[in-house]
Amino acid sequence: MQPFDPETDEPPIRAAALAPGLYIVATPIGNLGDLSPRAAATLAGVGLIAAEDSRVTAKLLHHIGARVPMLAYHDHSDDRVRQTLIARALAGPVALVSDAGTPLISDPGFKLVREARAAGVNIVTIPGPCAAIAALTLAGLPTDRFLFAGFLPAKAGARATAIAELATVRATLVLYESGPRLAASLTALAAGLGDRAAAISREISKRFEESVTGSLSELAARYAEAPPRGEIVITIAPPAPPAAADAETIDTALIAALATGSVKTAVATVTAALGLPRAMVYARALQLRDGDGGE
Ligand code: SAM
């Protein structure tokens, strides 16, 4: 897509007529063609843009031929900046953007939205690109349950603790990472989670986009040899389901539990310990109590 040239081109975007409010606008994560028409019309139609880095957002505004005042905003910005933005959003339309992707997702905005909501500001989201969601569509891993965990801590101890917390989560894991830290993070993930299947999605929507799949240890070895450039998302398969307990294990556990408690208590204990359906354990407990081995 050619950038907008104010000397020769008609402004390609018609500014939206917007009600007062805070407009959360997702912007491209690489390919400018991914800016939605609604996002562009919103950016052109607001009276002020709260931007993570005004130099980055200035390029996007130039691309759509819009000129809009900007105010730098981070979650650690002075409280007065937030109050200014909230006052402006009560009186007219204000946009929040980050450098790339969806604001608030590993990016500034959470505190602003929380306080703006409390102040009665109309909050509107203009959905669009998000690297975590884009990576999930590329990885070939289950998407019915996923946990987005942002960036792992940089220091080894804190990183190991964070990984240990993720180890029992029964969902696909999604992490952001940088090239220089990728191999060390993959090694730590293999140690803390087991050698699960994973995907490394790099430079999504850009010229050198690629997604490489393999086990965590295979990927760690690959990227230790050649640290990758660019922006990266790691997706990791959920843990394998626990192996189903065999009949002998169930009987041994039930006999021990029945020796010291009621059928109800024994069933509850064994159901919880072995992760089995209660009805099945209950039926077997009655057989064992009544001396009917079920053979
Ligand atoms: N808010 C953004 C979003 O919606 O994806 C994420 C912002 S976070 C500060 C930046 C991280 O997102 C990068 O370090 C990288 O892990 C990931 N990321 C952003 N753009 C990407 C791209 N084009 N390809 C792969 N990962 C990307």
Side-chain angles (χ1 to χ4, degrees):
M1 189 174 285
Q2 290 295 315
F4 173 75
D5 182 346
E7 301 299 320
T8 56
D9 296 347
E10 283 293 310
I13 296 300
R14 190 182 289 261
L18 299 167
L22 179 63
Y23 292 77
I24 315 298
V25 182
T27 60
I29 57 170
N31 189 324
L32 285 177
D34 294 338
L35 184 75
S36 75
R38 185 171 173 231
T42 302
L43 291 177
V46 296
L48 178 66
I49 297 176
E52 192 181 2
D53 183 336
S54 55
R55 288 162 304 180
V56 174
T57 302
K59 288 184 193 151
L60 189 66
L61 293 180
H62 179 71
H63 171 71
I64 61 172
R67 282 204 188 150
V68 184
M70 285 185 268
L71 189 62
Y73 178 74
H74 297 274
D75 277 337
H76 54 260
S77 289
D78 195 301
D79 199 41
R80 279 172 300 187
V81 178
R82 257 190 304 284
Q83 293 317 315
T84 301
L85 289 169
I86 289 169
R88 289 289 300 266
L90 284 166
V94 172
L96 171 70
V97 298
S98 58
D99 287 352
T102 301
L104 283 84
I105 307 301
S106 287
D107 265 341
F110 154 63
K111 285 187 189 169
L112 177 61
V113 170
R114 181 178 59 183
E115 290 177 28
R117 195 164 275 294
V121 171
N122 172 35
I123 316 256
V124 180
T125 194
I126 314 295
C130 174
I133 299 297
L136 275 167
T137 68
L138 291 166
L141 295 173
T143 53
D144 53 334
R145 275 163 64 86
F146 61 87
L147 181 100
F148 172 65
F151 289 94
L152 287 171
K155 292 193 177 149
R159 185 174 60 199
T161 304
I163 292 171
E165 282 172 12
L166 296 173
T168 55
V169 174
R170 309 202 65 76
T172 293
L173 303 175
V174 186
L175 295 160
Y176 286 161
E177 193 47 282
S178 69
R181 282 173 29 182
L182 179 64
S185 288
L186 289 170
T187 302
L189 285 161
L193 303 179
D195 201 11
R196 298 188 199 171
I200 305 302
S201 298
R202 200 170 66 81
E203 296 288 85
I204 299 168
S205 80
K206 302 185 198 176
R207 186 161 169 218
F208 296 109
E209 170 176 334
E210 66 170 11
S211 285
V212 179
T213 57
S215 73
L216 284 167
S217 64
E218 286 166 356
L219 292 167
R222 174 187 175 127
Y223 290 111
E225 267 176 32
R229 288 171 186 266
E231 303 200 271
I232 290 157
V233 183
I234 307 173
T235 34
I236 304 168
D246 59 32
E248 196 183 327
T249 307
I250 299 168
D251 280 4
T252 305
L254 270 176
I255 290 164
L258 285 167
T260 57
S262 65
V263 169
K264 192 176 164 194
T265 312
V267 169
T269 307
V270 173
T271 302
L274 300 182
L276 293 167
R278 187 183 177 283
M280 186 263 263
V281 177
Y282 185 69
R284 185 62 188 154
L286 291 183
Q287 288 175 339
L288 290 169
R289 183 198 63 182
D290 298 341
D292 168 10
E295 306 303 325

